[in-house]
Amino acid sequence: MSLLIKNVRIIDYKTDMCCDLYIEKDQIKDIGNLSYKADEIIDGSDKVLMPSFVDTHVHFRDPGFLYKETLETGSRAALCGGYTSVNLMGNTNPIVDSPGVYEDIICRGKNLNLIDIHSVYAVTKGFDGHTLDHLNDLPESVRFLSDDGKGILSNYTMFHAMNKAKELGVGIMVHAEDPNLSPLDYRIAEDIITLRDIYLAEQTGARLHMSHVSTVDSIDAVRHGKIKGANVTCEVTPHHLSLWDVNYRVNPPIRTKKDVKAVIRGIQDGTVDCIATDHAPHSQEDKAKGAPGMVGLETAFAVCYTNLVKTGRIGLKKLSKLMSKNPADILGIDHGAIEVEKKADLVLVDIEKEYTINKNELMSKSNNTPFDGAKVYGRVEITIYKGEVKYRR
Ligand code: DOR
Ligand code: ZN
């Protein structure tokens, strides 16, 4: 299989140029002014070709909640949004806290052959907030531990978890929330755990990744942690950088305009390493009962492009860094640059035409999104995984 993409604007974190790109099998073979005989020729004029996107934080609900999403429907939603690598969270049923559950997800993900599927492993057994014994039997490919959806309240447990993670050579993805404080003050609930965990990371030398950072003070805490030399990175979501004072249940909640400004400042000054969707599919019934979360894979690029690049806050190269290069680096994947001999995982986007997000057109099994009806720029036209067109609008 070979593909020739003609007259396209190629953008990655360090390149912005117009030319042709030739793909053979699963690899980028040539870039320049080209005239290969290919199985398919794609006209790239007026379009932008970027490294496909990488998401450090998604929920595919498989196993256990297949009525919300499955590995397959989630992967198709990812492709539709321009993603070819995702990192799954472990709040499934059963929870991802045993080699059997973990290997089953990774194995079924591989067999689907749609995108690359990675997964975290629970910090505490069954998310009980205390037990770390299961970490003695950690599968080799695990890169990050996380109790996402819940978080770890006990200082004692987190201290030991960080030491254990360091010893094992893995990182911890932190869902920063004190559940006792949440009903009283959702802001303090996030900030107090963020401050604690960055402090503990400084003390233990553990590798931390702060998930869905959403407040002024948590962004500040990450900024200062980095200055002090903590081994910490962080992600923000498309919704926390674009919405404020909106009544849509998600955890952490939609914050205020001041927080959104701080998140964007964090993006601009490099405090924020990557954008992650926290793709959290729920059925209409579960949403009606108060389940927090929204689907995000299919709207992320457009929401970020429209709010960050179209407004002049950052350039498209920087957005590519936030959605491909940096999240790939965090997950330990060689991806994010469009260069000869790199794997052909690419996305072709149209940044010229405005369109309206329609929740009924999503590929995900769920359509819980506050962006329904939003007018945006940045539509994914084609997603290429290992040199094959896996999604075409
Ligand atoms: O809004 C959220 N939904 N936040 C989380 O931390 C968990 C997630 C979910 O699993 O639904
Ligand atoms: Zn979370």
Side-chain angles (χ1 to χ4, degrees):
M1 183 70 196
S2 59
L3 260 176
L4 181 61
I5 307 172
K6 291 288 291 177
N7 304 313
V8 75
R9 185 174 165 205
I10 293 178
I11 289 193
D12 66 16
Y13 71 98
K14 58 176 167 48
T15 315
D16 183 346
M17 61 177 178
C18 268
C19 54
D20 313 325
L21 181 140
Y22 179 65
I23 297 167
E24 220 176 69
K25 295 205 183 100
D26 61 350
Q27 252 191 15
I28 299 170
K29 279 284 176 206
D30 207 350
I31 299 172
N33 196 341
L34 312 174
S35 55
Y36 288 91
K37 280 203 183 75
D39 294 323
E40 187 186 347
I41 296 174
I42 294 170
D43 177 17
S45 34
D46 305 322
K47 306 274 159 55
V48 177
L49 187 69
M50 301 169 77
S52 53
F53 309 130
V54 176
D55 198 338
T56 52
H57 193 132
V58 307
H59 301 265
F60 278 1
R61 311 300 190 203
D62 185 347
F65 306 98
L66 306 183
Y67 67 99
K68 298 182 197 244
E69 196 80 288
T70 66
L71 291 187
E72 179 166 358
T73 60
S75 298
R76 293 202 186 279
L79 285 168
C80 178
Y83 287 87
T84 62
S85 281
V86 299
N87 184 45
L88 305 185
M89 294 298 120
N91 60 343
T92 46
N93 185 16
I95 281 170
V96 185
D97 64 2
S98 68
V101 174
Y102 175 85
E103 300 292 3
D104 171 61
I105 290 168
I106 298 301
C107 176
R108 286 190 293 119
K110 272 210 182 86
N111 290 340
L112 281 172
N113 194 33
L114 290 170
I115 59 170
D116 287 341
I117 291 186
H118 307 266
S119 173
V120 299
Y121 203 77
V123 183
T124 68
K125 182 86 183 162
F127 287 10
D128 73 358
H130 301 287
T131 312
L132 304 174
D133 300 344
H134 67 302
L135 298 178
N136 292 321
D137 194 15
L138 192 70
E140 215 174 288
S141 65
V142 172
R143 300 261 180 170
F144 279 97
L145 311 174
S146 179
D147 280 8
D148 184 70
K150 195 150 179 234
I152 291 162
L153 180 58
S154 156
N155 303 335
Y156 178 88
T157 302
M158 198 45 144
F159 174 71
H160 283 292
M162 284 195 200
N163 283 320
K164 187 75 189 171
K166 192 178 174 203
E167 176 195 318
L168 293 166
V170 296
I172 297 182
M173 290 193 166
V174 176
H175 172 105
E177 177 180 7
D178 177 330
N180 295 324
L181 284 174
S182 289
L184 306 176
D185 191 319
Y186 258 120
R187 174 179 300 278
I188 295 177
E190 174 173 346
D191 291 340
I192 202 159
I193 300 293
T194 304
L195 287 159
R196 178 199 71 178
D197 285 357
I198 292 172
Y199 168 73
L200 283 176
E202 281 169 41
Q203 296 304 317
T204 60
R207 166 80 181 92
L208 275 208
H209 177 77
M210 304 307 294
S211 297
H212 42 58
V213 180
S214 73
T215 70
V216 178
D217 290 310
S218 284
I219 290 281
D220 263 346
V222 174
R223 184 178 288 120
H224 290 132
K226 286 183 170 188
I227 291 168
K228 287 180 83 178
N231 193 357
V232 59
T233 53
C234 82
E235 68 190 31
V236 299
T237 69
H239 45 282
H240 289 116
L241 66 84
S242 64
L243 302 177
W244 60 89
D245 301 337
V246 168
N247 188 18
Y248 195 90
R249 181 120 208 269
V250 61
N251 200 8
I254 300 301
R255 304 288 186 181
T256 66
K257 193 165 183 183
K258 222 174 129 189
D259 297 297
V260 173
K261 278 189 170 165
V263 164
I264 292 172
R265 214 174 308 122
I267 288 173
Q268 290 169 325
D269 75 5
T271 300
V272 171
D273 297 278
C274 67
I275 288 163
T277 64
D278 196 1
H279 179 82
H282 289 294
S283 66
Q284 264 177 324
E285 294 71 35
D286 292 346
K287 274 313 275 181
K289 282 186 223 147
M294 65 181 78
V295 291
L297 284 163
E298 295 170 77
T299 50
F301 178 71
V303 168
C304 293
Y305 180 78
T306 305
N307 286 278
L308 296 174
V309 181
K310 196 79 182 160
T311 52
R313 289 173 173 137
I314 62 170
L316 194 45
K317 283 198 280 190
K318 169 86 172 183
L319 184 58
S320 177
K321 192 174 183 181
L322 290 160
M323 295 187 71
S324 301
K325 173 75 171 122
N326 284 356
D329 284 352
I330 288 166
L331 295 176
I333 306 165
D334 176 21
H335 179 68
I338 298 190
E339 287 165 1
V340 172
E341 285 180 11
K342 291 278 181 198
K343 209 168 115 207
D345 290 352
L346 301 159
V347 58
L348 188 72
V349 294
D350 178 349
I351 55 172
E352 301 294 333
K353 270 189 269 98
E354 192 184 40
Y355 70 101
T356 305
I357 292 173
N358 179 350
K359 68 174 185 176
N360 299 315
E361 288 173 1
L362 299 177
M363 306 287 278
S364 168
K365 216 170 200 183
S366 298
N367 62 7
N368 49 308
T369 173
F371 293 111
D372 185 41
K375 285 193 164 37
V376 290
Y377 290 85
R379 175 123 76 175
V380 173
E381 298 283 330
I382 285 176
T383 307
I384 297 168
Y385 172 64
K386 290 195 216 157
E388 267 182 57
V389 174
K390 292 280 187 185
Y391 169 80
R392 201 186 298 255
R393 189 169 75 82

PDB file of all heavy atoms in Angstrom, residues 16 54 57 62 95 106 164-165 193 258 265 299 329 346 372:
ATOM      1  N   ASP A  16       6.898  24.013   9.420  1.00  0.00           N
ATOM      2  CA  ASP A  16       5.707  24.537   8.748  1.00  0.00           C
ATOM      3  C   ASP A  16       6.119  24.786   7.304  1.00  0.00           C
ATOM      4  O   ASP A  16       6.819  25.747   7.022  1.00  0.00           O
ATOM      5  CB  ASP A  16       5.248  25.834   9.435  1.00  0.00           C
ATOM      6  CG  ASP A  16       3.967  26.382   8.830  1.00  0.00           C
ATOM      7  OD1 ASP A  16       3.567  25.937   7.728  1.00  0.00           O
ATOM      8  OD2 ASP A  16       3.356  27.266   9.462  1.00  0.00           O
ATOM      9  N   VAL A  54      -2.273  12.404  20.159  1.00  0.00           N
ATOM     10  CA  VAL A  54      -2.048  11.408  21.214  1.00  0.00           C
ATOM     11  C   VAL A  54      -2.766  11.897  22.468  1.00  0.00           C
ATOM     12  O   VAL A  54      -2.598  13.049  22.857  1.00  0.00           O
ATOM     13  CB  VAL A  54      -0.534  11.265  21.502  1.00  0.00           C
ATOM     14  CG1 VAL A  54      -0.289  10.301  22.660  1.00  0.00           C
ATOM     15  CG2 VAL A  54       0.218  10.814  20.249  1.00  0.00           C
ATOM     16  N   HIS A  57      -5.277  10.631  28.329  1.00  0.00           N
ATOM     17  CA  HIS A  57      -6.328  10.445  29.338  1.00  0.00           C
ATOM     18  C   HIS A  57      -7.703  10.194  28.718  1.00  0.00           C
ATOM     19  O   HIS A  57      -8.422  11.130  28.389  1.00  0.00           O
ATOM     20  CB  HIS A  57      -6.387  11.713  30.206  1.00  0.00           C
ATOM     21  CG  HIS A  57      -7.184  11.569  31.452  1.00  0.00           C
ATOM     22  ND1 HIS A  57      -6.719  11.970  32.681  1.00  0.00           N
ATOM     23  CD2 HIS A  57      -8.425  11.079  31.697  1.00  0.00           C
ATOM     24  CE1 HIS A  57      -7.624  11.733  33.612  1.00  0.00           C
ATOM     25  NE2 HIS A  57      -8.684  11.197  33.038  1.00  0.00           N
ATOM     26  N   ASP A  62     -14.230  -0.289  28.954  1.00  0.00           N
ATOM     27  CA  ASP A  62     -14.167  -1.691  28.536  1.00  0.00           C
ATOM     28  C   ASP A  62     -13.014  -2.345  29.280  1.00  0.00           C
ATOM     29  O   ASP A  62     -11.851  -1.934  29.074  1.00  0.00           O
ATOM     30  CB  ASP A  62     -13.950  -1.686  27.012  1.00  0.00           C
ATOM     31  CG  ASP A  62     -13.989  -3.076  26.395  1.00  0.00           C
ATOM     32  OD1 ASP A  62     -13.939  -4.073  27.138  1.00  0.00           O
ATOM     33  OD2 ASP A  62     -14.028  -3.149  25.150  1.00  0.00           O
ATOM     34  N   ILE A  95     -11.671  -3.294  37.758  1.00  0.00           N
ATOM     35  CA  ILE A  95     -10.656  -2.237  37.705  1.00  0.00           C
ATOM     36  C   ILE A  95      -9.353  -2.829  37.161  1.00  0.00           C
ATOM     37  O   ILE A  95      -9.074  -4.020  37.343  1.00  0.00           O
ATOM     38  CB  ILE A  95     -10.486  -1.643  39.127  1.00  0.00           C
ATOM     39  CG1 ILE A  95     -11.649  -0.675  39.388  1.00  0.00           C
ATOM     40  CG2 ILE A  95      -9.139  -0.957  39.307  1.00  0.00           C
ATOM     41  CD1 ILE A  95     -11.749  -0.192  40.817  1.00  0.00           C
ATOM     42  N   ILE A 106      -4.883  -4.685  26.541  1.00  0.00           N
ATOM     43  CA  ILE A 106      -3.807  -4.391  25.590  1.00  0.00           C
ATOM     44  C   ILE A 106      -3.894  -5.339  24.383  1.00  0.00           C
ATOM     45  O   ILE A 106      -3.762  -4.915  23.225  1.00  0.00           O
ATOM     46  CB  ILE A 106      -2.419  -4.546  26.280  1.00  0.00           C
ATOM     47  CG1 ILE A 106      -2.293  -3.546  27.440  1.00  0.00           C
ATOM     48  CG2 ILE A 106      -1.276  -4.364  25.283  1.00  0.00           C
ATOM     49  CD1 ILE A 106      -2.427  -2.085  27.081  1.00  0.00           C
ATOM     50  N   LYS A 164       7.244   3.572  45.711  1.00  0.00           N
ATOM     51  CA  LYS A 164       7.128   2.296  44.992  1.00  0.00           C
ATOM     52  C   LYS A 164       7.213   2.539  43.475  1.00  0.00           C
ATOM     53  O   LYS A 164       7.905   1.822  42.756  1.00  0.00           O
ATOM     54  CB  LYS A 164       5.787   1.639  45.367  1.00  0.00           C
ATOM     55  CG  LYS A 164       5.605   0.246  44.822  1.00  0.00           C
ATOM     56  CD  LYS A 164       6.438  -0.759  45.599  1.00  0.00           C
ATOM     57  CE  LYS A 164       6.430  -2.114  44.924  1.00  0.00           C
ATOM     58  NZ  LYS A 164       7.381  -3.056  45.521  1.00  0.00           N
ATOM     59  N   ALA A 165       6.511   3.577  43.002  1.00  0.00           N
ATOM     60  CA  ALA A 165       6.510   3.886  41.570  1.00  0.00           C
ATOM     61  C   ALA A 165       7.934   4.204  41.108  1.00  0.00           C
ATOM     62  O   ALA A 165       8.378   3.754  40.043  1.00  0.00           O
ATOM     63  CB  ALA A 165       5.583   5.064  41.283  1.00  0.00           C
ATOM     64  N   ILE A 193      -4.785  18.704  46.998  1.00  0.00           N
ATOM     65  CA  ILE A 193      -4.119  17.457  46.592  1.00  0.00           C
ATOM     66  C   ILE A 193      -3.020  17.752  45.570  1.00  0.00           C
ATOM     67  O   ILE A 193      -1.963  17.127  45.574  1.00  0.00           O
ATOM     68  CB  ILE A 193      -5.136  16.433  46.046  1.00  0.00           C
ATOM     69  CG1 ILE A 193      -6.187  16.089  47.116  1.00  0.00           C
ATOM     70  CG2 ILE A 193      -4.427  15.171  45.561  1.00  0.00           C
ATOM     71  CD1 ILE A 193      -5.665  15.342  48.330  1.00  0.00           C
ATOM     72  N   LYS A 258     -11.396  33.381  35.238  1.00  0.00           N
ATOM     73  CA  LYS A 258     -10.053  33.573  35.785  1.00  0.00           C
ATOM     74  C   LYS A 258      -9.220  32.288  35.672  1.00  0.00           C
ATOM     75  O   LYS A 258      -8.026  32.317  35.359  1.00  0.00           O
ATOM     76  CB  LYS A 258     -10.187  33.970  37.272  1.00  0.00           C
ATOM     77  CG  LYS A 258      -9.260  35.077  37.698  1.00  0.00           C
ATOM     78  CD  LYS A 258      -9.559  35.492  39.128  1.00  0.00           C
ATOM     79  CE  LYS A 258      -8.256  35.495  39.917  1.00  0.00           C
ATOM     80  NZ  LYS A 258      -8.456  35.684  41.356  1.00  0.00           N
ATOM     81  N   ARG A 265      -2.637  30.806  30.069  1.00  0.00           N
ATOM     82  CA  ARG A 265      -1.306  31.329  30.365  1.00  0.00           C
ATOM     83  C   ARG A 265      -0.325  30.168  30.582  1.00  0.00           C
ATOM     84  O   ARG A 265       0.813  30.205  30.135  1.00  0.00           O
ATOM     85  CB  ARG A 265      -1.340  32.257  31.590  1.00  0.00           C
ATOM     86  CG  ARG A 265      -0.354  33.407  31.501  1.00  0.00           C
ATOM     87  CD  ARG A 265      -0.510  34.395  32.672  1.00  0.00           C
ATOM     88  NE  ARG A 265      -1.891  34.847  32.829  1.00  0.00           N
ATOM     89  CZ  ARG A 265      -2.619  34.699  33.941  1.00  0.00           C
ATOM     90  NH1 ARG A 265      -2.110  34.124  35.006  1.00  0.00           N
ATOM     91  NH2 ARG A 265      -3.862  35.134  33.999  1.00  0.00           N
ATOM     92  N   THR A 299     -14.112  16.183  19.291  1.00  0.00           N
ATOM     93  CA  THR A 299     -14.256  17.638  19.237  1.00  0.00           C
ATOM     94  C   THR A 299     -12.984  18.371  19.692  1.00  0.00           C
ATOM     95  O   THR A 299     -12.897  19.589  19.564  1.00  0.00           O
ATOM     96  CB  THR A 299     -15.426  18.089  20.150  1.00  0.00           C
ATOM     97  OG1 THR A 299     -15.248  17.488  21.442  1.00  0.00           O
ATOM     98  CG2 THR A 299     -16.764  17.643  19.585  1.00  0.00           C
ATOM     99  N   ASP A 329       5.849  11.982  24.109  1.00  0.00           N
ATOM    100  CA  ASP A 329       7.037  11.923  24.973  1.00  0.00           C
ATOM    101  C   ASP A 329       6.654  11.424  26.371  1.00  0.00           C
ATOM    102  O   ASP A 329       7.355  10.603  26.966  1.00  0.00           O
ATOM    103  CB  ASP A 329       7.691  13.307  25.102  1.00  0.00           C
ATOM    104  CG  ASP A 329       8.474  13.694  23.846  1.00  0.00           C
ATOM    105  OD1 ASP A 329       8.635  12.835  22.957  1.00  0.00           O
ATOM    106  OD2 ASP A 329       8.908  14.861  23.761  1.00  0.00           O
ATOM    107  N   LEU A 346      -0.752   9.977  10.802  1.00  0.00           N
ATOM    108  CA  LEU A 346      -0.936  11.367  10.396  1.00  0.00           C
ATOM    109  C   LEU A 346      -2.406  11.761  10.393  1.00  0.00           C
ATOM    110  O   LEU A 346      -3.284  10.896  10.333  1.00  0.00           O
ATOM    111  CB  LEU A 346      -0.375  11.555   8.972  1.00  0.00           C
ATOM    112  CG  LEU A 346       1.111  11.224   8.785  1.00  0.00           C
ATOM    113  CD1 LEU A 346       1.420  10.954   7.314  1.00  0.00           C
ATOM    114  CD2 LEU A 346       1.985  12.356   9.314  1.00  0.00           C
ATOM    115  N   ASP A 372     -22.322  20.569  21.643  1.00  0.00           N
ATOM    116  CA  ASP A 372     -23.323  20.396  20.591  1.00  0.00           C
ATOM    117  C   ASP A 372     -23.812  21.780  20.141  1.00  0.00           C
ATOM    118  O   ASP A 372     -24.195  22.610  20.966  1.00  0.00           O
ATOM    119  CB  ASP A 372     -24.501  19.574  21.143  1.00  0.00           C
ATOM    120  CG  ASP A 372     -25.516  19.253  20.060  1.00  0.00           C
ATOM    121  OD1 ASP A 372     -25.096  18.915  18.926  1.00  0.00           O
ATOM    122  OD2 ASP A 372     -26.729  19.342  20.332  1.00  0.00           O
TER     123      ASP A 372
END
